[in-house]
Amino acid sequence: MKLRIAADGPRHPGGVWPDWYEGLKLVGTNPATGEEITFFKGNWELAGILEWLTECEEQIRNDDPVIPQLPNETLGQTLTRSYDLVTDDLPQDVIDLAITEVGRYNITHNISAGASGMAEFPRLLIGRSEEGYEICNWIQDLEHDTAWRYFFDIDDFYRNLPVENEQ
């Protein structure tokens, strides 16, 4: 799958805030079929998302999940299992270390971290999994949430990131 960030509408001056775009979206396209999936679309700022993607690129490309992934498990499911393993019966120093590491992984792999202050922005994880680079949904509840993921070409994604001044 090829991932692209684009805007359907014009750029609007943000004044004291960053400029925002009508219809800013992340779209995945299957090159074989042309099928498109829209992962997010809304009137949002681009600058923070691009800055976050640049700052976290090394972690997105290289970090393993905090705990080993189970077969056919998404990064979202693995991250939720990581949070669920941190329980009150662990020593406090282990809890502190585990929460720090799981939180760091979330902040460096959850696109919504780059959309700070943007209401309704979906929580999507991107990163390296056991099977390749994936984009997937955040999982709150392992038993009830439906997990999905798509594999994508990370080099193509980063090579084709927009430049805010060109939008």
Side-chain angles (χ1 to χ4, degrees):
M1 172 166 285
K2 294 186 178 292
L3 289 181
R4 296 289 185 270
I5 295 176
D8 285 341
R11 177 181 185 167
H12 296 275
V16 296
W17 308 107
D19 293 353
W20 61 277
Y21 295 82
E22 285 182 38
L24 184 67
K25 62 185 179 179
L26 176 64
V27 176
T29 305
N30 179 330
T33 66
E35 176 191 6
E36 286 192 353
I37 298 166
T38 301
F39 296 106
F40 67 70
K41 183 175 180 178
N43 298 333
W44 290 310
E45 300 163 7
L46 177 60
I49 297 168
L50 292 177
E51 182 178 333
W52 177 85
L53 284 166
T54 301
E55 288 176 1
C56 297
E57 180 176 2
E58 183 177 339
Q59 292 91 346
I60 291 167
R61 285 180 178 271
N62 300 315
D63 281 0
D64 289 325
V66 179
I67 61 173
Q69 268 185 296
L70 298 176
N72 299 314
E73 187 175 60
T74 71
L75 291 174
Q77 291 167 312
T78 304
L79 186 60
T80 298
R81 275 194 317 105
S82 300
Y83 278 113
D84 290 350
L85 290 172
V86 182
T87 59
D88 291 338
D89 59 335
L90 296 171
Q92 188 59 49
D93 60 335
V94 173
I95 291 172
D96 293 344
L97 180 63
I99 289 297
T100 297
E101 186 59 22
V102 173
R104 184 203 60 79
Y105 186 90
N106 183 46
I107 288 170
T108 58
H109 291 78
N110 192 329
I111 298 174
S112 67
S116 179
M118 294 184 235
E120 308 287 324
F121 199 93
R123 295 194 289 182
L124 302 168
L125 298 170
I126 61 171
R128 185 169 58 96
S129 72
E130 292 292 323
E131 299 174 53
Y133 290 100
E134 72 177 60
I135 181 168
C136 66
N137 60 325
W138 169 270
I139 299 295
Q140 183 69 36
D141 183 326
L142 282 170
E143 291 185 27
H144 298 101
D145 291 350
T146 301
W148 54 261
R149 69 174 165 183
Y150 295 90
F151 296 102
F152 70 98
D153 180 336
I154 190 90
D155 294 326
D156 178 73
F157 175 65
Y158 271 99
R159 191 172 37 253
N160 288 288
L161 281 178
V163 176
E164 178 148 24
N165 293 337
E166 294 177 357
Q167 285 290 316

